[in-house]
Amino acid sequence: IVLTQSPGTLSLSPGDRATLSCRTSQSLSATYLGWYQQKPGQAPRLLIYGVSNRATGIPDRFSGSGSGTDFTLTISRLEPEDFAVYYCQQYGSSPRTFGQGTKVEIK
Amino acid sequence: QVQLQESGPGLVRPSQTLSLTCTVSGGSLSSGGYYWSWIRQHPGKGLEWIGNIDYSGSTKYNPSLKSRIILSIDTSKNHFSLKVNSVSDADTAVYYCARDTDWLFDRWGQGTLVTVSS
């Protein structure tokens, strides 16, 4: 399954709302989608699993939604530490695959 | 808190074998309940799952790499390993090891850059 993320880059200011999209080439039969955050020089960190469940320790300004082939990660109010690259990942079909990433940068 | 740490050569010659080890601390590989994965990230690019192994040595591989990959595990040393045969420039990447729920990757090592070059 191919995951296509948009936009490639999102230029926003602290306090703004960020909306990131992930589209899958095939419908996911269940809630088999997650999101990761990656900062420069660091490993990815799991943010969201099962489309909308926050991983341990993830603040509630992060939320996930969607179904079928269209999924969204929303950051309600950007904090300085949220500027990073975000990846979606599907686990409904083997091999598991990732999107190419959306960079959220400071405007 | 489980921690993972990759180790191995940072430079591999073309056509040779890339070998990396991931040492796990704060948890035992033999306790089961998780898989242990390798994931790579080409420079400036996205993420690619390579394969995983469980405590018994059972493996799953990405079909795109399956013919060149060998995963192994040593529970007595609490580490698992990756070998990639016949490497080329296309194998230059940051290699991560990660704890794998068989769905998602919830703990990651810091990653190690492997460059394929003569």
Side-chain angles (χ1 to χ4, degrees), chain A residues 62-76:
Chain A
F62 291 92
S63 62
S65 62
S67 64
T69 61
D70 290 299
F71 301 89
T72 300
L73 175 69
T74 301
I75 310 171
S76 59

Side-chain angles (χ1 to χ4, degrees), chain A residues 25-48:
Chain A
S25 61
Q26 299 174 36
S27 180
L28 297 185
S29 57
T31 56
Y32 294 149
L33 189 110
W35 291 89
Y36 298 83
Q37 176 193 68
Q38 186 178 34
K39 297 180 181 179
Q42 296 185 19
R45 176 176 69 144
L46 179 64
L47 293 178
I48 299 284

Side-chain angles (χ1 to χ4, degrees), chain A residues 5-56:
Chain A
Q5 293 187 240
S6 61
T9 301
L10 204 48
S11 298
L12 296 168
S13 301
D16 286 349
R17 181 185 186 90
T19 303
L20 288 67
S21 173
C22 176
R23 181 163 292 177
T24 61
S25 61
Q26 299 174 36
S27 180
L28 297 185
S29 57
T31 56
Y32 294 149
L33 189 110
W35 291 89
Y36 298 83
Q37 176 193 68
Q38 186 178 34
K39 297 180 181 179
Q42 296 185 19
R45 176 176 69 144
L46 179 64
L47 293 178
I48 299 284
Y49 65 93
V51 174
S52 60
N53 301 287
R54 282 185 297 276
T56 302

Side-chain angles (χ1 to χ4, degrees), chain A residues 38 87 100, chain B residues 40-48 88-96 112-116:
Chain A
Q38 186 178 34
Y87 295 95
Q100 82 281 16
Chain B
R40 69 182 183 180
Q41 185 170 34
H42 295 102
K45 302 292 185 181
L47 298 155
E48 179 181 33
S88 69
D89 290 351
D91 295 305
T92 292
V94 174
Y95 286 77
Y96 295 99
T112 187
L113 174 63
V114 178
T115 301
V116 178

Side-chain angles (χ1 to χ4, degrees), chain A residues 32-36 38 41-46 48-50 87 89-91 94-100, chain B residues 37 39 41 44-49 52 60-63 96 100-106 108-111:
Chain A
Y32 294 149
L33 189 110
W35 291 89
Y36 298 83
Q38 186 178 34
Q42 296 185 19
R45 176 176 69 144
L46 179 64
I48 299 284
Y49 65 93
Y87 295 95
Q89 179 228 319
Q90 66 81 21
Y91 46 101
S94 183
R96 289 166 285 174
T97 48
F98 295 85
Q100 82 281 16
Chain B
S37 265
I39 297 157
Q41 185 170 34
K45 302 292 185 181
L47 298 155
E48 179 181 33
W49 175 72
N52 70 16
K60 298 177 189 175
Y61 296 132
N62 189 324
Y96 295 99
D100 181 354
T101 67
D102 204 27
W103 288 1
L104 294 157
F105 310 100
D106 66 350
W108 296 63
Q110 67 184 26

Side-chain angles (χ1 to χ4, degrees), chain B residues 18-63:
Chain B
L18 179 162
S19 297
L20 295 174
T21 294
C22 181
T23 301
V24 178
S25 58
S28 173
L29 291 182
S30 60
S31 62
Y34 291 98
Y35 297 82
W36 303 92
S37 265
W38 289 95
I39 297 157
R40 69 182 183 180
Q41 185 170 34
H42 295 102
K45 302 292 185 181
L47 298 155
E48 179 181 33
W49 175 72
I50 297 170
N52 70 16
I53 190 166
D54 71 8
Y55 73 99
S56 71
S58 178
T59 55
K60 298 177 189 175
Y61 296 132
N62 189 324

